[in-house]
Amino acid sequence: MKHIVVFLLLPFQILAQQTSFKDFKSYPFPTELKVSSKTNRIAWALDELGHRNIYVASGPDFHPVRLTHYDKDDGQEISSLSISDDGKWIVFVRGGDHGANWDSNIPINPAFDNISEKVQVLSIAFEGGTAKVLSDGDDPVIAPVTNQVAFIKTGQVWVSNIDSPGTAKNAFTTRGTVNDLEWSADGSRLLFVANRSDHSIIGIYNGPKEPLQWLSPSFERDENPHWSEDGKQVVYTRIKGRGGAPDSILPRKIVSWSIRIADVQTGESRELWKSPATLKGSYPSTDGGSNLHWAANDRIVFVSYEDGWPHLYSIPAKGGAAQLLTSGKYIAEHIRLSPDKKWLCFSTNAGPDKLDIERRHAARVSVDHPGTEILTAGNGLEWMPDQLADGKTIVFISATATRPPLPAVMDLSKPNPAFQLLGADLIPANFPEKQLVIPRQVIFSAADGVIVHAELFEPVQKKKEKFPAIVFVHGGPPRQMLLGWHYSDYYSNAYASNQYLASLGFVVLSVNYRLGIGYGYDFHHPPHAGSAGAAEYRDIVAAGQWLQQQPNVDSKKIGIYGGSYGGYLTALALARDSKMFAAGVDFHGVHDWAELSSIVKNFSGKFEKAPDYEKALQVAWQSSPVASISTWKSPVFIIQGDDDRNVPFNQSVDLINRLEKQKVHFETLMIVDDTHHWMKFSNAVKVYSAAADYFLKKLK
């Protein structure tokens, strides 16, 4: 009898010894990698078990030094990191949730502190010392020469001395709210945008004794202003102001835009370039939007999707034809202009390996000559590259499929340069790198013929057996999951989760469904998607069907999970195809497009309605999981933080009440005072651990 008891306990002993998700999540995650424009100094923010701090390094050895000493898992993020031109000061913002759709600069308090943290602008000397709070505020920019800091507070511009707390004062007040700050080269003038709801204006602050100056004010939306090298001109983008007779809602619309140059002395502007009147020519919706810059040799550089891919273009400031700098079937994102303004550094999914379409590599291109130079090749991933002041060193963040992200530097002047990783010793000893699998690329077709890419995580198979499987659906939706760690902390959580699930014996298929980036305009902007018809759901069905056909998958034990837009598609799968998907975990998903979309809001109180107003509302409803609640049979685990600033919390409350009435089995986990992005490390561990436990219970 004694031997029987030991045998029965054995599976539980094995589970107890299993590496936890906390171990998989224990990696440090770098963000906000920035360079000084005149020195070989760099800075980055690093999240270590929820302790977010700033690290710095200087050439030529680039030894990492921790500057700040925040030692609490309190959810306070670091953003807007920058280095003064002379490399002597670091400025940053602490607090808020800057990935939010609303209230991004409102304090959060997932640690339940009696006195809540604030969103504040701080400075700290590069050589070390105490971080000084300059003021409550956001979006700081450091002035060249003078080292003053301009920032936004309650929608207006404030200015502070970089080294003197208590000196902050309101620079000026204007109607609307202000953003897009940029100092002139001598630090005496400040460019800004005044947003006034249906239009916006480019302004210049010339100092406390001078009136504000407006550049070519119009009835349109002028944005993204940048100084010329001599400070005599300003380049910016222009889009039509909001208004006009209601147009149809369901068809995709052309969003025309133009680039204009204003003369600072006269305030008059001229059109330099106008977008093609095509869908692909519309204002770009990838990272950084237009990515407009005034570069060296009086070249204006920008991004356009007009050839079907988000590529970089260059045009002389005096006028002429726009020149395509990057060409091919790849994207350019995380674009940065080098300190000498001669190069554009960017992340791309191009390279010599056919699998590079599922990766990111560091690349650059001259501002006035076409030809992309891939700086890092191989089976790793590199993103957010930038060039240092010496013109030969680049810095970026590097990862592989099994090694988490770290900052890296590389000397381009050396033949076949290798890169130096910074802070590798900060990866904790308990991080289970040897347990991680290398995901492989999978390609299949949806029912309507659309080609879909995915990454497959497979557990180690010691004998011929069938595993339960899980479809992972990313959020966004303009995202792309990769063959390795992701550059976003939110999606790196998902990558760690997929690896953890594989270690527990699940086959995991991470689907890059249509609406995502990385595969061209038509894939990124498909017809009848989202609230206009949920066409992308066909890709999720195709993923489930592909798993059903695999010899190592138990076709009756396929689950699905995802967050945000991934939560929406998870709920849609459980509602429409419970026979295929046996269980699911829905992180803060959208469930009712008719309520959440802007259709009703945009026409509230208006006599005129869009020609297809009623049809659009009906399609939005039919595209929603709650519209198919009558066929929802599979159990679901619903998780959301109640300070969510991306998806209203009521979307989950409403779904739960409907499921209860329908007698669908559900479980819930509500996280008090945390946001969409699990700002508190322990909360991220809690929710992903709970999701894994749920799948173990339902599928194993």
PDB file of all heavy atoms in Angstrom, residues 249-250 448 514-515 526-538 565 568-569 572 576 593 599 615-624:
ATOM      1  N   ILE A 249     -19.465  54.404 -43.888  1.00  0.00           N
ATOM      2  CA  ILE A 249     -18.595  53.951 -42.810  1.00  0.00           C
ATOM      3  C   ILE A 249     -17.813  52.701 -43.195  1.00  0.00           C
ATOM      4  O   ILE A 249     -16.610  52.607 -42.917  1.00  0.00           O
ATOM      5  CB  ILE A 249     -19.435  53.663 -41.545  1.00  0.00           C
ATOM      6  CG1 ILE A 249     -20.112  54.943 -41.065  1.00  0.00           C
ATOM      7  CG2 ILE A 249     -18.584  53.063 -40.443  1.00  0.00           C
ATOM      8  CD1 ILE A 249     -21.146  54.723 -39.989  1.00  0.00           C
ATOM      9  N   LEU A 250     -18.446  51.753 -43.846  1.00  0.00           N
ATOM     10  CA  LEU A 250     -17.833  50.441 -44.056  1.00  0.00           C
ATOM     11  C   LEU A 250     -16.684  50.429 -45.069  1.00  0.00           C
ATOM     12  O   LEU A 250     -15.681  49.752 -44.836  1.00  0.00           O
ATOM     13  CB  LEU A 250     -18.909  49.424 -44.459  1.00  0.00           C
ATOM     14  CG  LEU A 250     -19.885  49.061 -43.334  1.00  0.00           C
ATOM     15  CD1 LEU A 250     -21.041  48.225 -43.880  1.00  0.00           C
ATOM     16  CD2 LEU A 250     -19.166  48.306 -42.225  1.00  0.00           C
ATOM     17  N   ASP A 448     -10.328  31.825 -47.423  1.00  0.00           N
ATOM     18  CA  ASP A 448     -10.464  32.711 -48.580  1.00  0.00           C
ATOM     19  C   ASP A 448      -9.158  32.886 -49.347  1.00  0.00           C
ATOM     20  O   ASP A 448      -9.041  33.759 -50.193  1.00  0.00           O
ATOM     21  CB  ASP A 448     -11.001  34.071 -48.153  1.00  0.00           C
ATOM     22  CG  ASP A 448     -10.123  34.740 -47.107  1.00  0.00           C
ATOM     23  OD1 ASP A 448      -9.140  34.129 -46.657  1.00  0.00           O
ATOM     24  OD2 ASP A 448     -10.424  35.903 -46.731  1.00  0.00           O
ATOM     25  N   ARG A 514      -4.185  38.484 -40.331  1.00  0.00           N
ATOM     26  CA  ARG A 514      -4.311  39.731 -41.105  1.00  0.00           C
ATOM     27  C   ARG A 514      -4.747  40.878 -40.189  1.00  0.00           C
ATOM     28  O   ARG A 514      -5.430  40.665 -39.208  1.00  0.00           O
ATOM     29  CB  ARG A 514      -5.268  39.532 -42.276  1.00  0.00           C
ATOM     30  CG  ARG A 514      -6.724  39.436 -41.921  1.00  0.00           C
ATOM     31  CD  ARG A 514      -7.593  39.005 -43.090  1.00  0.00           C
ATOM     32  NE  ARG A 514      -7.593  37.555 -43.254  1.00  0.00           N
ATOM     33  CZ  ARG A 514      -8.324  36.898 -44.150  1.00  0.00           C
ATOM     34  NH1 ARG A 514      -9.097  37.569 -44.998  1.00  0.00           N
ATOM     35  NH2 ARG A 514      -8.265  35.583 -44.228  1.00  0.00           N
ATOM     36  N   LEU A 515      -4.354  42.057 -40.543  1.00  0.00           N
ATOM     37  CA  LEU A 515      -4.380  43.293 -39.762  1.00  0.00           C
ATOM     38  C   LEU A 515      -3.024  43.563 -39.129  1.00  0.00           C
ATOM     39  O   LEU A 515      -2.755  44.673 -38.664  1.00  0.00           O
ATOM     40  CB  LEU A 515      -5.442  43.315 -38.658  1.00  0.00           C
ATOM     41  CG  LEU A 515      -6.892  43.528 -39.082  1.00  0.00           C
ATOM     42  CD1 LEU A 515      -7.814  43.384 -37.871  1.00  0.00           C
ATOM     43  CD2 LEU A 515      -7.095  44.909 -39.698  1.00  0.00           C
ATOM     44  N   PRO A 526      -6.718  44.824 -44.544  1.00  0.00           N
ATOM     45  CA  PRO A 526      -7.634  43.999 -45.333  1.00  0.00           C
ATOM     46  C   PRO A 526      -9.045  44.560 -45.314  1.00  0.00           C
ATOM     47  O   PRO A 526      -9.438  45.253 -44.358  1.00  0.00           O
ATOM     48  CB  PRO A 526      -7.580  42.647 -44.619  1.00  0.00           C
ATOM     49  CG  PRO A 526      -7.320  43.012 -43.189  1.00  0.00           C
ATOM     50  CD  PRO A 526      -6.415  44.206 -43.234  1.00  0.00           C
ATOM     51  N   PRO A 527      -9.822  44.275 -46.318  1.00  0.00           N
ATOM     52  CA  PRO A 527     -11.228  44.700 -46.294  1.00  0.00           C
ATOM     53  C   PRO A 527     -12.044  43.870 -45.307  1.00  0.00           C
ATOM     54  O   PRO A 527     -11.684  42.730 -44.987  1.00  0.00           O
ATOM     55  CB  PRO A 527     -11.688  44.462 -47.738  1.00  0.00           C
ATOM     56  CG  PRO A 527     -10.784  43.393 -48.255  1.00  0.00           C
ATOM     57  CD  PRO A 527      -9.462  43.602 -47.579  1.00  0.00           C
ATOM     58  N   HIS A 528     -13.125  44.453 -44.809  1.00  0.00           N
ATOM     59  CA  HIS A 528     -14.113  43.747 -43.973  1.00  0.00           C
ATOM     60  C   HIS A 528     -13.498  43.170 -42.700  1.00  0.00           C
ATOM     61  O   HIS A 528     -13.875  42.080 -42.261  1.00  0.00           O
ATOM     62  CB  HIS A 528     -14.793  42.628 -44.776  1.00  0.00           C
ATOM     63  CG  HIS A 528     -15.254  43.041 -46.126  1.00  0.00           C
ATOM     64  ND1 HIS A 528     -16.153  44.060 -46.326  1.00  0.00           N
ATOM     65  CD2 HIS A 528     -14.915  42.590 -47.377  1.00  0.00           C
ATOM     66  CE1 HIS A 528     -16.369  44.221 -47.621  1.00  0.00           C
ATOM     67  NE2 HIS A 528     -15.623  43.353 -48.278  1.00  0.00           N
ATOM     68  N   ALA A 529     -12.559  43.884 -42.113  1.00  0.00           N
ATOM     69  CA  ALA A 529     -11.911  43.390 -40.891  1.00  0.00           C
ATOM     70  C   ALA A 529     -12.461  44.110 -39.668  1.00  0.00           C
ATOM     71  O   ALA A 529     -13.118  45.153 -39.765  1.00  0.00           O
ATOM     72  CB  ALA A 529     -10.404  43.580 -40.988  1.00  0.00           C
ATOM     73  N   GLY A 530     -12.201  43.556 -38.491  1.00  0.00           N
ATOM     74  CA  GLY A 530     -12.619  44.175 -37.243  1.00  0.00           C
ATOM     75  C   GLY A 530     -14.115  44.374 -37.174  1.00  0.00           C
ATOM     76  O   GLY A 530     -14.901  43.467 -37.500  1.00  0.00           O
ATOM     77  N   SER A 531     -14.535  45.567 -36.790  1.00  0.00           N
ATOM     78  CA  SER A 531     -15.964  45.852 -36.653  1.00  0.00           C
ATOM     79  C   SER A 531     -16.669  45.929 -37.996  1.00  0.00           C
ATOM     80  O   SER A 531     -17.894  46.018 -38.045  1.00  0.00           O
ATOM     81  CB  SER A 531     -16.164  47.176 -35.902  1.00  0.00           C
ATOM     82  OG  SER A 531     -15.573  48.247 -36.613  1.00  0.00           O
ATOM     83  N   ALA A 532     -15.910  45.866 -39.098  1.00  0.00           N
ATOM     84  CA  ALA A 532     -16.505  45.906 -40.440  1.00  0.00           C
ATOM     85  C   ALA A 532     -16.684  44.513 -41.030  1.00  0.00           C
ATOM     86  O   ALA A 532     -16.919  44.381 -42.232  1.00  0.00           O
ATOM     87  CB  ALA A 532     -15.650  46.753 -41.377  1.00  0.00           C
ATOM     88  N   GLY A 533     -16.570  43.457 -40.191  1.00  0.00           N
ATOM     89  CA  GLY A 533     -16.829  42.123 -40.710  1.00  0.00           C
ATOM     90  C   GLY A 533     -15.991  41.003 -40.148  1.00  0.00           C
ATOM     91  O   GLY A 533     -16.244  39.830 -40.442  1.00  0.00           O
ATOM     92  N   ALA A 534     -14.962  41.315 -39.342  1.00  0.00           N
ATOM     93  CA  ALA A 534     -14.131  40.289 -38.687  1.00  0.00           C
ATOM     94  C   ALA A 534     -13.524  39.297 -39.663  1.00  0.00           C
ATOM     95  O   ALA A 534     -13.418  38.099 -39.371  1.00  0.00           O
ATOM     96  CB  ALA A 534     -14.936  39.555 -37.611  1.00  0.00           C
ATOM     97  N   ALA A 535     -13.082  39.790 -40.835  1.00  0.00           N
ATOM     98  CA  ALA A 535     -12.480  38.897 -41.831  1.00  0.00           C
ATOM     99  C   ALA A 535     -11.265  38.174 -41.284  1.00  0.00           C
ATOM    100  O   ALA A 535     -10.963  37.036 -41.685  1.00  0.00           O
ATOM    101  CB  ALA A 535     -12.092  39.696 -43.079  1.00  0.00           C
ATOM    102  N   GLU A 536     -10.546  38.810 -40.350  1.00  0.00           N
ATOM    103  CA  GLU A 536      -9.331  38.207 -39.799  1.00  0.00           C
ATOM    104  C   GLU A 536      -9.624  36.952 -38.989  1.00  0.00           C
ATOM    105  O   GLU A 536      -8.704  36.142 -38.740  1.00  0.00           O
ATOM    106  CB  GLU A 536      -8.577  39.222 -38.940  1.00  0.00           C
ATOM    107  CG  GLU A 536      -9.251  39.616 -37.637  1.00  0.00           C
ATOM    108  CD  GLU A 536     -10.340  40.670 -37.802  1.00  0.00           C
ATOM    109  OE1 GLU A 536     -10.814  40.899 -38.936  1.00  0.00           O
ATOM    110  OE2 GLU A 536     -10.741  41.261 -36.780  1.00  0.00           O
ATOM    111  N   TYR A 537     -10.863  36.769 -38.570  1.00  0.00           N
ATOM    112  CA  TYR A 537     -11.190  35.567 -37.806  1.00  0.00           C
ATOM    113  C   TYR A 537     -10.974  34.299 -38.631  1.00  0.00           C
ATOM    114  O   TYR A 537     -10.696  33.235 -38.073  1.00  0.00           O
ATOM    115  CB  TYR A 537     -12.635  35.633 -37.291  1.00  0.00           C
ATOM    116  CG  TYR A 537     -13.030  34.380 -36.548  1.00  0.00           C
ATOM    117  CD1 TYR A 537     -12.374  34.026 -35.373  1.00  0.00           C
ATOM    118  CD2 TYR A 537     -14.015  33.524 -37.049  1.00  0.00           C
ATOM    119  CE1 TYR A 537     -12.701  32.859 -34.701  1.00  0.00           C
ATOM    120  CE2 TYR A 537     -14.345  32.361 -36.386  1.00  0.00           C
ATOM    121  CZ  TYR A 537     -13.687  32.023 -35.210  1.00  0.00           C
ATOM    122  OH  TYR A 537     -14.004  30.859 -34.554  1.00  0.00           O
ATOM    123  N   ARG A 538     -11.053  34.413 -39.950  1.00  0.00           N
ATOM    124  CA  ARG A 538     -10.787  33.245 -40.801  1.00  0.00           C
ATOM    125  C   ARG A 538      -9.380  32.695 -40.558  1.00  0.00           C
ATOM    126  O   ARG A 538      -9.143  31.490 -40.669  1.00  0.00           O
ATOM    127  CB  ARG A 538     -10.950  33.620 -42.279  1.00  0.00           C
ATOM    128  CG  ARG A 538     -12.356  34.047 -42.672  1.00  0.00           C
ATOM    129  CD  ARG A 538     -12.439  34.255 -44.178  1.00  0.00           C
ATOM    130  NE  ARG A 538     -13.753  34.728 -44.580  1.00  0.00           N
ATOM    131  CZ  ARG A 538     -13.989  35.907 -45.147  1.00  0.00           C
ATOM    132  NH1 ARG A 538     -12.984  36.724 -45.389  1.00  0.00           N
ATOM    133  NH2 ARG A 538     -15.205  36.272 -45.493  1.00  0.00           N
ATOM    134  N   TYR A 565      -6.922  42.807 -28.472  1.00  0.00           N
ATOM    135  CA  TYR A 565      -7.536  42.339 -29.717  1.00  0.00           C
ATOM    136  C   TYR A 565      -7.452  40.812 -29.800  1.00  0.00           C
ATOM    137  O   TYR A 565      -8.328  40.157 -30.365  1.00  0.00           O
ATOM    138  CB  TYR A 565      -6.846  42.972 -30.923  1.00  0.00           C
ATOM    139  CG  TYR A 565      -7.726  43.079 -32.141  1.00  0.00           C
ATOM    140  CD1 TYR A 565      -8.455  44.240 -32.379  1.00  0.00           C
ATOM    141  CD2 TYR A 565      -7.846  42.024 -33.044  1.00  0.00           C
ATOM    142  CE1 TYR A 565      -9.282  44.349 -33.491  1.00  0.00           C
ATOM    143  CE2 TYR A 565      -8.661  42.127 -34.155  1.00  0.00           C
ATOM    144  CZ  TYR A 565      -9.378  43.288 -34.379  1.00  0.00           C
ATOM    145  OH  TYR A 565     -10.193  43.390 -35.482  1.00  0.00           O
ATOM    146  N   TYR A 568     -10.353  39.593 -27.962  1.00  0.00           N
ATOM    147  CA  TYR A 568     -11.538  39.674 -28.829  1.00  0.00           C
ATOM    148  C   TYR A 568     -11.641  38.438 -29.723  1.00  0.00           C
ATOM    149  O   TYR A 568     -12.705  37.791 -29.789  1.00  0.00           O
ATOM    150  CB  TYR A 568     -11.454  40.940 -29.673  1.00  0.00           C
ATOM    151  CG  TYR A 568     -12.255  40.909 -30.967  1.00  0.00           C
ATOM    152  CD1 TYR A 568     -13.638  40.778 -30.950  1.00  0.00           C
ATOM    153  CD2 TYR A 568     -11.616  41.006 -32.206  1.00  0.00           C
ATOM    154  CE1 TYR A 568     -14.373  40.746 -32.136  1.00  0.00           C
ATOM    155  CE2 TYR A 568     -12.334  40.981 -33.386  1.00  0.00           C
ATOM    156  CZ  TYR A 568     -13.711  40.841 -33.354  1.00  0.00           C
ATOM    157  OH  TYR A 568     -14.430  40.807 -34.524  1.00  0.00           O
ATOM    158  N   LEU A 569     -10.544  38.089 -30.403  1.00  0.00           N
ATOM    159  CA  LEU A 569     -10.584  36.940 -31.310  1.00  0.00           C
ATOM    160  C   LEU A 569     -10.696  35.617 -30.548  1.00  0.00           C
ATOM    161  O   LEU A 569     -11.264  34.650 -31.053  1.00  0.00           O
ATOM    162  CB  LEU A 569      -9.355  36.951 -32.214  1.00  0.00           C
ATOM    163  CG  LEU A 569      -9.371  38.072 -33.270  1.00  0.00           C
ATOM    164  CD1 LEU A 569      -8.034  38.158 -33.998  1.00  0.00           C
ATOM    165  CD2 LEU A 569     -10.503  37.855 -34.267  1.00  0.00           C
ATOM    166  N   LEU A 572     -14.369  35.429 -29.815  1.00  0.00           N
ATOM    167  CA  LEU A 572     -15.088  35.131 -31.049  1.00  0.00           C
ATOM    168  C   LEU A 572     -14.955  33.652 -31.403  1.00  0.00           C
ATOM    169  O   LEU A 572     -15.917  33.011 -31.856  1.00  0.00           O
ATOM    170  CB  LEU A 572     -14.541  36.009 -32.183  1.00  0.00           C
ATOM    171  CG  LEU A 572     -15.451  36.226 -33.396  1.00  0.00           C
ATOM    172  CD1 LEU A 572     -16.755  36.902 -32.996  1.00  0.00           C
ATOM    173  CD2 LEU A 572     -14.726  37.057 -34.452  1.00  0.00           C
ATOM    174  N   ARG A 576     -18.160  31.228 -31.692  1.00  0.00           N
ATOM    175  CA  ARG A 576     -18.548  30.698 -32.996  1.00  0.00           C
ATOM    176  C   ARG A 576     -18.135  29.249 -33.216  1.00  0.00           C
ATOM    177  O   ARG A 576     -18.786  28.528 -33.981  1.00  0.00           O
ATOM    178  CB  ARG A 576     -17.920  31.558 -34.105  1.00  0.00           C
ATOM    179  CG  ARG A 576     -18.479  32.964 -34.205  1.00  0.00           C
ATOM    180  CD  ARG A 576     -17.864  33.699 -35.383  1.00  0.00           C
ATOM    181  NE  ARG A 576     -18.420  35.037 -35.563  1.00  0.00           N
ATOM    182  CZ  ARG A 576     -18.073  35.862 -36.551  1.00  0.00           C
ATOM    183  NH1 ARG A 576     -17.163  35.481 -37.437  1.00  0.00           N
ATOM    184  NH2 ARG A 576     -18.630  37.056 -36.644  1.00  0.00           N
ATOM    185  N   TRP A 593     -18.586  45.318 -30.400  1.00  0.00           N
ATOM    186  CA  TRP A 593     -18.122  46.390 -31.277  1.00  0.00           C
ATOM    187  C   TRP A 593     -19.170  47.496 -31.418  1.00  0.00           C
ATOM    188  O   TRP A 593     -18.826  48.665 -31.588  1.00  0.00           O
ATOM    189  CB  TRP A 593     -17.808  45.845 -32.666  1.00  0.00           C
ATOM    190  CG  TRP A 593     -16.467  45.213 -32.841  1.00  0.00           C
ATOM    191  CD1 TRP A 593     -16.202  43.965 -33.311  1.00  0.00           C
ATOM    192  CD2 TRP A 593     -15.186  45.812 -32.585  1.00  0.00           C
ATOM    193  NE1 TRP A 593     -14.843  43.729 -33.353  1.00  0.00           N
ATOM    194  CE2 TRP A 593     -14.206  44.858 -32.915  1.00  0.00           C
ATOM    195  CE3 TRP A 593     -14.777  47.049 -32.109  1.00  0.00           C
ATOM    196  CZ2 TRP A 593     -12.838  45.107 -32.785  1.00  0.00           C
ATOM    197  CZ3 TRP A 593     -13.415  47.304 -31.972  1.00  0.00           C
ATOM    198  CH2 TRP A 593     -12.470  46.337 -32.307  1.00  0.00           C
ATOM    199  N   ILE A 599     -18.960  54.397 -34.048  1.00  0.00           N
ATOM    200  CA  ILE A 599     -20.103  54.638 -34.944  1.00  0.00           C
ATOM    201  C   ILE A 599     -21.180  55.468 -34.256  1.00  0.00           C
ATOM    202  O   ILE A 599     -21.598  56.520 -34.752  1.00  0.00           O
ATOM    203  CB  ILE A 599     -20.693  53.301 -35.439  1.00  0.00           C
ATOM    204  CG1 ILE A 599     -19.646  52.525 -36.244  1.00  0.00           C
ATOM    205  CG2 ILE A 599     -21.926  53.552 -36.307  1.00  0.00           C
ATOM    206  CD1 ILE A 599     -20.066  51.121 -36.610  1.00  0.00           C
ATOM    207  N   LYS A 615     -26.545  49.846 -41.374  1.00  0.00           N
ATOM    208  CA  LYS A 615     -25.844  48.624 -41.797  1.00  0.00           C
ATOM    209  C   LYS A 615     -24.526  48.473 -41.053  1.00  0.00           C
ATOM    210  O   LYS A 615     -24.157  47.368 -40.624  1.00  0.00           O
ATOM    211  CB  LYS A 615     -25.598  48.651 -43.300  1.00  0.00           C
ATOM    212  CG  LYS A 615     -24.899  47.401 -43.817  1.00  0.00           C
ATOM    213  CD  LYS A 615     -24.690  47.444 -45.326  1.00  0.00           C
ATOM    214  CE  LYS A 615     -23.982  46.169 -45.797  1.00  0.00           C
ATOM    215  NZ  LYS A 615     -23.731  46.197 -47.269  1.00  0.00           N
ATOM    216  N   ALA A 616     -23.795  49.583 -40.892  1.00  0.00           N
ATOM    217  CA  ALA A 616     -22.513  49.532 -40.182  1.00  0.00           C
ATOM    218  C   ALA A 616     -22.708  49.088 -38.737  1.00  0.00           C
ATOM    219  O   ALA A 616     -21.910  48.306 -38.205  1.00  0.00           O
ATOM    220  CB  ALA A 616     -21.829  50.892 -40.239  1.00  0.00           C
ATOM    221  N   LEU A 617     -23.773  49.586 -38.100  1.00  0.00           N
ATOM    222  CA  LEU A 617     -24.069  49.152 -36.732  1.00  0.00           C
ATOM    223  C   LEU A 617     -24.383  47.663 -36.676  1.00  0.00           C
ATOM    224  O   LEU A 617     -23.934  46.942 -35.780  1.00  0.00           O
ATOM    225  CB  LEU A 617     -25.260  49.945 -36.178  1.00  0.00           C
ATOM    226  CG  LEU A 617     -24.958  51.237 -35.423  1.00  0.00           C
ATOM    227  CD1 LEU A 617     -26.249  51.887 -34.967  1.00  0.00           C
ATOM    228  CD2 LEU A 617     -24.045  50.971 -34.232  1.00  0.00           C
ATOM    229  N   GLN A 618     -25.143  47.196 -37.664  1.00  0.00           N
ATOM    230  CA  GLN A 618     -25.500  45.779 -37.705  1.00  0.00           C
ATOM    231  C   GLN A 618     -24.268  44.908 -37.928  1.00  0.00           C
ATOM    232  O   GLN A 618     -24.091  43.874 -37.265  1.00  0.00           O
ATOM    233  CB  GLN A 618     -26.523  45.534 -38.818  1.00  0.00           C
ATOM    234  CG  GLN A 618     -27.011  44.088 -38.891  1.00  0.00           C
ATOM    235  CD  GLN A 618     -28.005  43.872 -40.018  1.00  0.00           C
ATOM    236  OE1 GLN A 618     -27.955  44.560 -41.031  1.00  0.00           O
ATOM    237  NE2 GLN A 618     -28.901  42.920 -39.851  1.00  0.00           N
ATOM    238  N   VAL A 619     -23.391  45.330 -38.838  1.00  0.00           N
ATOM    239  CA  VAL A 619     -22.164  44.570 -39.111  1.00  0.00           C
ATOM    240  C   VAL A 619     -21.262  44.567 -37.880  1.00  0.00           C
ATOM    241  O   VAL A 619     -20.656  43.540 -37.534  1.00  0.00           O
ATOM    242  CB  VAL A 619     -21.429  45.149 -40.334  1.00  0.00           C
ATOM    243  CG1 VAL A 619     -20.048  44.525 -40.479  1.00  0.00           C
ATOM    244  CG2 VAL A 619     -22.243  44.920 -41.601  1.00  0.00           C
ATOM    245  N   ALA A 620     -21.169  45.721 -37.193  1.00  0.00           N
ATOM    246  CA  ALA A 620     -20.357  45.790 -35.982  1.00  0.00           C
ATOM    247  C   ALA A 620     -20.877  44.816 -34.926  1.00  0.00           C
ATOM    248  O   ALA A 620     -20.100  44.120 -34.260  1.00  0.00           O
ATOM    249  CB  ALA A 620     -20.355  47.222 -35.438  1.00  0.00           C
ATOM    250  N   TRP A 621     -22.186  44.761 -34.789  1.00  0.00           N
ATOM    251  CA  TRP A 621     -22.778  43.821 -33.834  1.00  0.00           C
ATOM    252  C   TRP A 621     -22.499  42.378 -34.243  1.00  0.00           C
ATOM    253  O   TRP A 621     -22.079  41.557 -33.422  1.00  0.00           O
ATOM    254  CB  TRP A 621     -24.281  44.067 -33.729  1.00  0.00           C
ATOM    255  CG  TRP A 621     -25.006  42.985 -32.967  1.00  0.00           C
ATOM    256  CD1 TRP A 621     -25.793  42.003 -33.476  1.00  0.00           C
ATOM    257  CD2 TRP A 621     -24.964  42.768 -31.553  1.00  0.00           C
ATOM    258  NE1 TRP A 621     -26.262  41.189 -32.484  1.00  0.00           N
ATOM    259  CE2 TRP A 621     -25.763  41.639 -31.279  1.00  0.00           C
ATOM    260  CE3 TRP A 621     -24.348  43.421 -30.494  1.00  0.00           C
ATOM    261  CZ2 TRP A 621     -25.946  41.150 -29.997  1.00  0.00           C
ATOM    262  CZ3 TRP A 621     -24.539  42.929 -29.208  1.00  0.00           C
ATOM    263  CH2 TRP A 621     -25.328  41.811 -28.971  1.00  0.00           C
ATOM    264  N   GLN A 622     -22.699  42.062 -35.502  1.00  0.00           N
ATOM    265  CA  GLN A 622     -22.485  40.692 -35.974  1.00  0.00           C
ATOM    266  C   GLN A 622     -21.017  40.280 -35.892  1.00  0.00           C
ATOM    267  O   GLN A 622     -20.708  39.082 -35.855  1.00  0.00           O
ATOM    268  CB  GLN A 622     -22.997  40.550 -37.406  1.00  0.00           C
ATOM    269  CG  GLN A 622     -24.515  40.658 -37.520  1.00  0.00           C
ATOM    270  CD  GLN A 622     -24.998  40.718 -38.951  1.00  0.00           C
ATOM    271  OE1 GLN A 622     -24.225  40.993 -39.880  1.00  0.00           O
ATOM    272  NE2 GLN A 622     -26.295  40.496 -39.156  1.00  0.00           N
ATOM    273  N   SER A 623     -20.116  41.259 -35.876  1.00  0.00           N
ATOM    274  CA  SER A 623     -18.682  40.973 -35.761  1.00  0.00           C
ATOM    275  C   SER A 623     -18.248  40.785 -34.310  1.00  0.00           C
ATOM    276  O   SER A 623     -17.066  40.537 -34.049  1.00  0.00           O
ATOM    277  CB  SER A 623     -17.875  42.121 -36.383  1.00  0.00           C
ATOM    278  OG  SER A 623     -18.233  42.334 -37.732  1.00  0.00           O
ATOM    279  N   SER A 624     -19.181  40.892 -33.381  1.00  0.00           N
ATOM    280  CA  SER A 624     -18.879  40.853 -31.952  1.00  0.00           C
ATOM    281  C   SER A 624     -19.108  39.467 -31.370  1.00  0.00           C
ATOM    282  O   SER A 624     -20.062  38.769 -31.751  1.00  0.00           O
ATOM    283  CB  SER A 624     -19.760  41.860 -31.207  1.00  0.00           C
ATOM    284  OG  SER A 624     -19.632  43.150 -31.752  1.00  0.00           O
TER     285      SER A 624
END
